[in-house]
Amino acid sequence: MLQATLTCSPGPTVPNQDARWPAPSIHVAYLGPADIGALRVRDSLDILVPTVQARLSTTFRDGAGRERTAFVRAPLVSVVPPGLPHALADEPGPRTLVLGIAAPLFTGLARAALEGAGSPLVEPHAAADPLLREIGNAVEDDLRGER
């Protein structure tokens, strides 16, 4: 399975960095067998970038406790906020790329961008986001080139 962890040196753009993380990090990997089916809670903002072969779905409970499912197919992407219990369904392997941004890095950058306000994230859904799609495609091209 392809995966990588990118660690950036902390800088002035990440105010009040959480001491649990020695430096901000972004983890890049394809969904693996451990990611599929079981309930998972991650301490990262996960950007799910399905390939054309993926048949990805993510199931979670909304604020009212109702079970919701988002079906995500290329060229759409999905963003799963940190701490949200959810389950993913797809075949493991190089079908869905996960760009995981460590929660402290995401929170620090969001607070800085929103001038101290919290980061209001809603539940995951399939969305057309050309910027995230192109970032995912570029990362995937780099990962596949390293094989």
Side-chain angles (χ1 to χ4, degrees):
M1 176 189 316
L2 297 173
Q3 68 176 20
T5 299
L6 310 173
T7 303
C8 314
S9 60
T13 59
V14 185
N16 304 318
Q17 182 178 343
D18 191 319
R20 293 177 297 164
W21 295 82
S25 64
I26 299 172
H27 184 77
V28 177
Y30 286 101
L31 287 181
D35 295 311
I36 305 298
L39 188 67
R40 58 194 293 247
V41 179
R42 307 261 307 190
D43 189 23
S44 61
L45 174 101
D46 286 350
I47 301 168
L48 307 173
V49 184
T51 64
V52 293
Q53 299 90 3
R55 300 291 177 256
L56 177 68
S57 66
T58 178
T59 302
F60 58 94
R61 294 206 179 274
D62 66 12
R66 293 183 305 250
E67 190 171 274
R68 312 280 288 191
T69 299
F71 298 96
V72 189
R73 309 286 186 271
L76 305 177
V77 297
S78 184
V79 177
V80 180
L84 178 72
H86 64 283
L88 299 174
D90 194 6
E91 294 179 31
R95 296 179 181 273
T96 299
L97 187 67
V98 180
L99 307 174
I101 303 172
L105 173 61
F106 168 73
T107 303
L109 292 173
R111 281 194 186 122
L114 298 172
E115 298 179 354
S119 53
L121 283 178
V122 295
E123 65 267 355
H125 60 278
D129 189 317
L131 176 63
L132 289 178
R133 169 51 67 179
E134 284 303 313
I135 291 170
N137 290 345
V139 169
E140 183 175 26
D141 289 347
D142 283 350
L143 282 174
R144 290 186 184 275
E146 292 177 4
R147 274 205 232 187

